[in-house]
Structure formats: C-alpha cells, structure tokens
Amino acid sequence: MYIHKVLTFLTALTSVSAGRTPSRKTCVIPASGTNTTDDAPAILHAFKRCGRGGKVVFKPTTYHVNSVLNTTWLKDVDIDIQGTLLWSTDIHYWLDNSLEVGYQNQSTAWILGGDSVRINGHGVGTFDGNGDYWYEWIQEQENTSNYPGRPIALTLDGLTNSVVRGVTFLRSQMWTLAIIYSHHVEFDSILVNNTGNRVDSSNTDGADTIRSSHLTFNNLTVYNGDDSISFKANSTDITLKNSRFYNGLGVAIGSIGQLNDEFEVVERIKVENINYENTLHAVYFKTWTDDQNGYPPNGGGGGLGYASNMLFKNLKVSNMRGSAVAISQCTRFIGAPGTGNCTNSQFQIRDITIAGLKGTTGSSRVTSFQCSAEAPCTDLGMFGIDLEFENGTAAGEYLCGNVKHPRGFECMGEVCVGGSSTGDC
Ligand SMILES: *[C@@H]1O[C@H](CO)[C@@H](O)[C@H](O)[C@H]1NC(C)=O
Ligand SMILES: *[C@@H]1O[C@H](CO)[C@@H](O)[C@H](O)[C@H]1NC(C)=O
Ligand SMILES: *[C@@H]1O[C@H](CO)[C@@H](O)[C@H](O)[C@H]1NC(C)=O
Ligand SMILES: *[C@@H]1O[C@H](CO)[C@@H](O)[C@H](O)[C@H]1NC(C)=O
Ligand SMILES: *[C@@H]1O[C@H](CO)[C@@H](O)[C@H](O)[C@H]1NC(C)=O
Ligand SMILES: *[C@@H]1O[C@H](CO)[C@@H](O)[C@H](O)[C@H]1NC(C)=O
Ligand SMILES: *[C@@H]1O[C@H](CO)[C@@H](O)[C@H](O)[C@H]1NC(C)=O
Ligand SMILES: *[C@@H]1O[C@H](CO)[C@@H](O)[C@H](O)[C@H]1NC(C)=O
Ligand SMILES: *[C@@H]1O[C@H](CO)[C@@H](O)[C@H](O)[C@H]1NC(C)=O
C-alpha cells in the first residue's frame, strides 16, 4: 500500500518534469536597440529556428519592426513576449509593402498562423503600432480611413487550437487584431488602447473575426473610437465574456453583405458580462444594401445570408451615446452618401436575444431597428431592460421598421431610414 503510493508519487513527478520539456528548443531574439536597424530579420530567423516544436522569446526590451512579417507556418510553439514590438513610422514603406489579408482588400503588418501556437505576453508584452503617425496622416488624406495598404497591426490567419494571452496592443496602425480562417482559438486578458495622443484614432477596431469559428474572448479591454469588436462574414460559435469597452461603437455584427451575391452568415454568438463606458451602442448590426456600388474596401453591396442565434446577456452601460441596440441595413459606398435603398437588403437578421441591459444613456432610444423590407427582422427579443438618463428618468423608446414577432417589447414608432451607417439618424 505504502510502496504503491510512493511509486505513484514518483511517476507523477516524472511526468511533471517531462511535461516541462526542458529540451524544448528556445530562441531568444536579440534586439538592435535602435529604430535605424530593423529587428524583423532577427525575429523571422528565430521563428524559422524555433517556430516548429520550440519556444521563441522576446526579451524585456524594445524591438523595432521596420518591415513586414509572415509567419503562417508555425506548429506547436510557445511565443513568450516580455517586451515591446514597436512598428516603424515609414508610412510609405507600409503602404507599398503590407501583406494582403484576402478580405475586403485589407492588408497587414504581421500575418501569423499555424497549429498549437501559444502566445503569452504575461500582461507586459506589447504590440505598439506607433499609430499616432497614422492617425495624423489619415486626416491629411481627407480622412480616407480605409486607405489602401494601411496595415492591420496583427492578422491571425489559419490559426488553430491556439491561445493568445496577456498581450497589450497600443495605437494600432489601423484595425488591431484580424482573425481569419482561424478555429478553436482562445483569447484571454488582452488590452487594446488605440486612444490617440495627438489626434483621434480612426478605423482602429479592437478585434475583427472573419471566416472563423470556435473562438473565445475572455477579459478583453478595448479603448478606441471604432468597433470595440466586430464579428464579420462567416463568424460562428463565438463566446465573448467578462469584457470592458470604452469610447468605441460597441459590439458590432458586420458590416456584412458587402460582396454581391455571396452568401455569408454570422451565428451562434454568445456575449455575456460586458461593461461599456461612453460607447455609441451596446450592440449593433450593419449590412450593406442590395445595390452593388463599387468594390471593397470602400464600396460593395448586394450580399446574401443571415445573422442568427445570438444571446447578449448581462450588459452594463454607462453614458451610452446612441441607441442601445441598433440595426442598420443601409451601409453603402462611402463616396455616395444619401443614395441607395435602405430597405432592400436580402441579408436577414433573426433570433437575437438581449437578456439584461442596464445603466445610463444619453439617448432615449433603447432600439433603432432599421430592417429590410425584403428580409424583415424576426424573433428579436429584449428582456430585463433598465436604462435611464443621468437625471434618473427612464429611457424607453423602441423604434422599429420591418420587425416581425418582437419578443418582450413592443415597437413604439417608426425608425428613421436613410441616415448614417450606424443606424442613428
Ligand atoms: C525613429 O524614432 C524617431 C524618434 O522617436 C522618430 O521620429 C522616427 O520617425 C522613427 N523612425 C522610424 C523609421 O520609425
Ligand atoms: C506568407 O508565406 C507563405 C509561405 O511561407 C505564402 O504562401 C503566403 O502567400 C504568404 N502570405 C502573404 C500574405 O504574403
Ligand atoms: C484593392 O485596392 C487597390 C487600390 O484601390 C486597387 O487597385 C485594387 O484593384 C483592389 N483590389 C481588389 C482585389 O479589389
Ligand atoms: C479630417 O477629420 C478631422 C476631424 O474630424 C478634421 O478636423 C479635418 O479637417 C478632416 N480633414 C480633411 C482633409 O477633411
Ligand atoms: C484581465 O486583463 C487585464 C489586462 O487587460 C489584467 O491586468 C487582469 O489581471 C486580467 N484579469 C484577470 C482576472 O485575469
Ligand atoms: C490609453 O492611452 C491614452 C493615451 O496615451 C492614455 O491617456 C490612457 O491612460 C491609456 N489608458 C490605459 C488604460 O492604459
Ligand atoms: C460562408 O459560408 C457559407 C456556408 O455557410 C459558404 O457557402 C460561403 O461561401 C462562405 N462565404 C465566404 C465569403 O467565405
Ligand atoms: C426600396 O426597396 C424596397 C424593397 O425592395 C421597395 O419596396 C421600395 O420600393 C424601394 N424604394 C425605392 C425608393 O426604390
Ligand atoms: C431627464 O433628462 C432627459 C434627457 O435629457 C429629459 O428628456 C427629461 O425631461 C429629464 N427629466 C427630468 C425630470 O428632468
């Protein structure tokens, strides 16, 4: 009996030390220490040596990233980020060289993918996009925020069975974290701060998911002025929980329906325990109209499909700026405002439940549901709603257009049609 226990204990010890795999090949990346020397080649070299079955370590120092990184072929690797990666300010280099993402004509500074990748920033590892330069520059380009070649900070492409934990993103060049063709990935304790130091940031989404499934976001914090997080075409089986969003637009579904005659879906989304401070919405949907007008990134329309089976539970808002929950099916070519038909989209929104939405707002509107007449919204549910103005008066206006079978609320009036793409006119 006693011997048996000792043997069991020894076996356990052996397997613990085996689990630590002291033999795992480790590459500690040297840093040049000056932004006149590009650290990207050293980073790439480390990934080539240790990116399959090993460990790659960024030391507690600053790495200057002056050129694009493509590491899409990783396998069973620990990426340990103890320092800061600081992207260069050579805007013309990035416009000419950023890597194609394969969606909406977007491009990126670093594209990373593979299987069993474990990225850990331990709460200190930082991706600094040096975005202040971009935010000023984009204002000079007549605020064309989707400027061709303007890079997404990090794109996870074809990433599976992986974890991204404890990383901070500061002032991303454009969107922060694009997740495409990725499945079974966990995101934990990520902080995004895209607040500009000199001018406001533009088009700096916190995270965007595309053609991806089985993703979990826990303890995500985003400070920005655009989508806090956005679930786009073919995002399915996603959980977002215990997160905080500041100043941005809230949780976005879309924009979607941008590609003429393409069928796209967003479904099985669960969002729970979210705190919002000074955001425009808590949740909003945006689809393109049925009229195709130009091509991505700034044009498009005519897409098919649906958004369905979503639960938004326990949302707490503070100083909300617009309709708490909004639907607009009126996104259209950026260069042709005021044209197009806002009720002809064939993309349908259905089976969406809000369960628990409380706090303070500056808008009387709980809902602005501007749905399509061609594919009316069905089975929208609003329960446990308790919104009030700062002075304590309840905010309780439910505005709708083309909403069928509302659950837990009654439409009180017609929503405005043809306003801004965010559903608030
Ligand atoms: C290098 O740093 C200086 C000072 O911070 C900055 O002005 C310059 O734009 C940077 N250069 C690059 C290529 O990032
Ligand atoms: C990244 O590199 C892989 C091969 O290693 C290549 O197939 C892929 O096209 C590259 N991606 C981009 C966006 O350049
Ligand atoms: C991407 O945008 C550039 C610049 O506007 C354009 O020349 C190119 O044709 C676009 N590509 C696609 C695939 O739409
Ligand atoms: C861009 O937007 C900013 C802030 O709204 C504004 O001050 C500036 O005049 C705009 N720039 C141009 C060229 O339109
Ligand atoms: C949540 O993430 C923040 C970083 O944004 C971190 O400081 C904090 O410890 C995390 N909380 C938990 C409970 O993991
Ligand atoms: C975000 O960045 C802004 C601008 O630098 C800064 O004032 C603010 O303290 C930062 N917020 C957090 C939570 O780090
Ligand atoms: C989205 O998924 C559907 C299947 O649900 C597929 O038919 C369609 O091609 C996908 N579209 C894109 C743009 O990936
Ligand atoms: C807009 O589309 C709807 C639905 O197809 C149609 O009933 C309506 O007549 C259109 N409006 C205009 C102004 O074309
Ligand atoms: C409270 O504020 C709202 C929004 O500003 C206003 O419409 C309402 O009349 C105010 N109620 C009272 C009792 O002052």
Side-chain angles (χ1 to χ4, degrees):
M1 191 68 172
Y2 175 74
I3 286 174
H4 174 75
K5 272 194 178 159
V6 169
L7 281 178
T8 312
F9 179 61
L10 285 176
T11 314
L13 268 186
T14 316
S15 59
V16 164
S17 62
R20 251 189 237 130
T21 55
S23 59
R24 185 172 273 271
K25 189 172 176 185
T26 298
C27 293
V28 179
I29 310 172
S32 68
T34 162
N35 79 356
T36 52
T37 304
D38 183 12
D39 287 323
I43 294 169
L44 209 48
H45 183 67
F47 276 101
K48 283 188 176 147
R49 282 179 55 230
C50 294
R52 297 178 70 87
K55 179 172 179 176
V56 173
V57 179
F58 290 84
K59 298 186 290 183
T61 185
T62 297
Y63 292 86
H64 297 279
V65 187
N66 300 0
S67 57
V68 294
L69 290 167
N70 175 351
T71 52
T72 44
W73 32 263
L74 306 176
K75 171 85 187 160
D76 180 25
V77 57
D78 290 299
I79 304 174
D80 203 35
I81 308 180
Q82 300 167 20
T84 294
L85 286 79
L86 179 65
W87 271 264
S88 75
T89 58
D90 186 349
I91 286 176
H92 294 286
Y93 165 81
W94 293 107
L95 294 180
D96 290 345
N97 294 283
S98 54
L99 302 169
E100 288 280 335
V101 168
Y103 174 76
Q104 270 195 358
N105 209 354
Q106 304 278 20
S107 58
T108 192
W110 186 357
I111 191 161
L112 183 152
D115 186 59
S116 301
V117 177
R118 297 164 297 270
I119 301 177
N120 197 339
H122 311 279
V124 293
T126 301
F127 288 64
D128 186 338
N130 236 327
D132 283 321
Y133 290 82
W134 287 96
Y135 311 155
E136 284 180 324
W137 183 83
I138 225 66
Q139 285 203 348
E140 290 157 18
Q141 315 310 311
E142 289 161 343
N143 295 306
T144 310
S145 65
N146 251 329
Y147 202 94
R150 182 180 174 194
I152 296 167
L154 176 66
T155 297
L156 303 178
D157 183 358
L159 184 69
T160 51
N161 308 309
S162 295
V163 183
V164 182
R165 196 187 303 284
V167 177
T168 295
F169 290 89
L170 280 186
R171 285 170 277 285
S172 302
Q173 303 90 318
M174 199 187 78
W175 292 359
T176 303
L177 180 59
I179 300 151
I180 184 165
Y181 302 114
S182 293
H183 308 281
H184 299 280
V185 184
E186 186 191 333
F187 298 87
D188 186 42
S189 300
I190 291 175
L191 167 67
V192 177
N193 186 353
N194 289 337
T195 309
N197 287 309
R198 301 197 283 260
V199 301
D200 286 346
S201 70
S202 61
N203 207 2
T204 56
D205 292 4
D208 295 86
T209 68
I210 305 139
R211 300 171 196 151
S212 293
S213 71
H214 301 281
L215 308 179
T216 300
F217 297 85
N218 181 50
N219 190 24
L220 172 68
T221 305
V222 179
Y223 292 81
N224 72 348
D226 211 301
D227 294 343
S228 307
I229 186 168
S230 170
F231 303 123
K232 293 180 157 47
N234 287 2
S235 294
T236 61
D237 300 285
I238 296 180
T239 299
L240 164 67
K241 59 188 178 186
N242 308 325
S243 295
R244 287 157 304 280
F245 301 130
Y246 300 85
N247 310 331
L249 306 181
V251 175
I253 310 296
S255 63
I256 192 164
Q258 191 170 3
L259 303 173
N260 197 23
D261 288 335
E262 287 268 0
F263 192 90
E264 298 173 325
V265 305
V266 182
E267 61 183 337
R268 297 184 298 278
I269 306 286
K270 191 174 174 195
V271 175
E272 200 176 355
N273 301 338
I274 311 296
N275 278 280
Y276 302 85
E277 172 86 46
N278 190 44
T279 59
L280 185 62
H281 308 293
V283 179
Y284 82 115
F285 295 73
K286 45 180 171 175
T287 85
W288 288 69
T289 73
D290 197 41
D291 309 307
Q292 192 200 346
N293 199 335
Y295 294 89
N298 293 320
L304 314 171
Y306 60 84
S308 126
N309 193 347
M310 300 187 191
L311 173 63
F312 298 86
K313 201 172 149 188
N314 191 21
L315 313 180
K316 292 210 177 80
V317 304
S318 180
N319 298 313
M320 177 133 308
R321 291 179 283 126
S323 315
V325 185
I327 294 173
S328 166
Q329 302 215 243
C330 203
T331 303
R332 56 233 155 147
F333 183 57
I334 209 162
T339 63
N341 185 327
C342 294
T343 57
N344 68 6
S345 172
Q346 295 185 63
F347 189 95
Q348 191 189 31
I349 293 155
R350 62 188 191 224
D351 187 13
I352 312 293
T353 300
I354 310 284
L357 166 61
K358 298 181 166 41
T360 58
T361 179
S363 167
S364 57
R365 288 171 295 211
V366 178
T367 71
S368 287
F369 291 152
Q370 186 266 293
C371 298
S372 166
E374 289 292 316
C377 297
T378 61
D379 294 302
L380 306 181
M382 302 284 299
F383 304 93
I385 311 299
D386 183 7
L387 294 175
E388 53 184 44
F389 295 109
E390 282 298 343
N391 63 16
T393 305
E397 229 182 340
Y398 291 82
L399 304 181
C400 313
N402 301 310
V403 171
K404 299 240 167 91
H405 315 300
R407 291 178 289 119
F409 72 103
E410 277 172 34
C411 296
M412 292 162 52
E414 278 298 310
V415 70
C416 66
V417 175
S420 82
S421 61
T422 52
D424 272 46
C425 37

